[in-house]
Every structure is written in C-alpha cells, then in structure tokens.
Amino acid sequence: MIQVQPNSLSGLAGWFPARTAGPATLAEHVLGTGIGSWWADSALQPQVVAVSCAKHVLLRGDPYALAPGSLAPFAGSLVEAPSRFLRVLGSSFDRIVPGNRMVYVHCAPASPPAPRSWHGVTVRPLVREDARALAAVGPAAAWIHASWDGPAGLAASGYGWAAFHKGRILAVACTYFRGSVYEDIACATVPDRRREYLAHACVTGLCGDIAARGRTASLSCSPGDRRTRLLAWTAGFRLQREYAHCTTGTPTASRLPNPGHSPRAEDRI
C-alpha cells in the first residue's frame, strides 16, 4: 500500500459512503480536515483503498489484489474491513484480535445526573489557549486529541468541551471524527475524578454544539466498556447497530513506516 492524495482516487464516494454513523465518519473526517492518510495498492487503478487516522483504519476493495507485506503500515491499529479481508489480515500480522463495536446515536433527552458538588469546577468549550492544559492530561490520555493532530489541534478546533479546576482539565469530550451528518464523539476523565459525572456534563455541552451545527452526535465503544455504555444511555444516546473490527499485531512480512498516532484506548469515564 502506498500513500496517495484523495483527489487521485477515482470514485472516492463509492469506496467510503458518507452520511452514516460509525466508521464512515472517519473517512469524512480525514477528507474534511486533512488529518490522517489515504492509501491504495496502486495510484493509477487501485483495487484496494484504505484511510487511516489516530490508528483507526477503514479498508475496502479486493484483498486478492494485495501483495505480501502490503498491510504492514496498519500494525497496532483498529481495522474495520469486510470479512473477505480476514484471511489476508491474519497472514499479514503475528496476530489479529477480532472484536465488536457498538454505535450509539444521540436521540433522547439526557437524564440529569445525581447532584454533585463541583466546587471550583467550570465546564465549558475548549479554546486555543487550552492546548497546554490538554497536553498536561498526560500520555495515557493522548489518544483523545490524536484525531486532531495533537492538543493544539483539538484546542483550536472548536469541537471540544472540558471540565476545569484551577486550570487543570478533569474531563474532556470532543468530536473524534467529524462527518457531514454525524459527529462521532469520545470522552475521558482523569482517574482521580471519575464517578463525578464530569464527562456527562462535557458530553451534554458538546451534544448541544453538535445539534446547533445541524448534525447528530454518535458514540462508538466496545460491548465490554460498561462505563461508556452507561454514560451513553444517560446522555441520551441509543444503540443503533454493531459492527466487527480487529486489532492488528506486528507485521509478519516487510516492515513499512507506521502512519499515525498512538492507538485510541477505550473511553475512560
């Protein structure tokens, strides 16, 4: 697979249909923001096309057109692809771990959380000047701004909310992948301030902004991520569908440059 410019791929809309919640928002995000990479087996007449951002990958086309080692750039990634790619994925890495993700869509009023005393806490949209506070959240939460090319990108994007206490970010919610109809969101809370409904407050504020932009918020997580599923329900999200993906290991063939950021961890509420 080689990196290509999206304008060199004919019929791009046919490869990754837009206007749906879930993985499709990744392709729209990369196309709209320029953050991420486009890949193809050939620049002239591609039979396989992929798009990657923040170590999430969408893969489409004919797997039998791939040469050995072609998928090496997607090591350590979450790959969403048709089932016909499973064999070539399995032969390209030392392991693949299949899994499912649940796609929730915001379609109901949020349930008010239990009363909490947030003395000195302010919940508000992120602004450009918050980049340093975002970076200070630490490496374990760096995935939250990976799809915006780092803390400065997310802070200046206009697509994030955070809970602050004395300049420290306690929780953050943001549009992770921005589509034309749906914005797939993510959220995280620092470990010592969980169970205070701070992420709930950030998500509620973010969903209001998304609605004002004429779009609908969606949220994706694994079935085993109970905290995110509970937050989704109380914030007014309802399950729309599930889809399969796999996590890739180390390439078994030739190694190619790695394209992206650290893997997106499961949302930590």
Side-chain angles (χ1 to χ4, degrees), residues 7-52:
N7 56 13
S8 68
L9 296 174
S10 60
L12 185 59
W15 289 100
F16 303 103
R19 304 176 67 84
T20 58
T25 54
L26 187 160
E28 290 190 279
H29 180 82
V30 178
L31 190 62
T33 66
I35 301 169
S37 302
W38 296 89
W39 304 79
D41 63 314
S42 167
L44 298 177
Q45 293 183 316
Q47 298 183 66
V48 181
V49 173
V51 57
S52 64

Side-chain angles (χ1 to χ4, degrees), residues 6 54 58 67 77 90 100 117 127 130 132 137 168 182 261 266:
L58 300 185
S77 298
N100 292 321
S117 176
V127 296
D130 295 324
R132 182 173 295 181
V137 174
R168 178 194 180 206
Y182 294 95
H261 306 274
E266 287 301 329

Side-chain angles (χ1 to χ4, degrees), residues 18 83 100 120 203 267:
S83 59
N100 292 321
V203 167
D267 298 342

Side-chain angles (χ1 to χ4, degrees), residues 41 49 62 68 91 108 119 132 138 143 147 180 265:
D41 63 314
V49 173
D62 179 8
S91 64
H119 181 69
R132 182 173 295 181
W143 64 270
S147 65
S180 57

Side-chain angles (χ1 to χ4, degrees), residues 178-223:
R178 185 192 71 193
S180 57
V181 174
Y182 294 95
E183 295 187 21
D184 205 53
I185 73 169
C187 53
T189 305
V190 296
D192 59 312
R193 300 302 295 262
R194 290 175 184 162
R195 299 183 178 88
E196 296 184 27
Y197 300 98
L198 294 167
H200 185 286
C202 294
V203 167
T204 299
L206 176 63
C207 286
D209 281 358
I210 292 173
R213 289 192 283 267
R215 299 184 182 125
T216 301
S218 65
L219 185 153
S220 303
C221 69
S222 70

Side-chain angles (χ1 to χ4, degrees), residues 128-175:
R128 189 181 303 272
E129 291 75 20
D130 295 324
R132 182 173 295 181
L134 269 175
V137 174
W143 64 270
I144 195 71
H145 46 65
S147 65
W148 291 98
D149 207 20
L154 175 56
S157 69
Y159 288 87
W161 277 66
F164 293 83
H165 181 256
K166 296 182 178 179
R168 178 194 180 206
I169 288 181
L170 307 179
V172 60
C174 68
T175 295

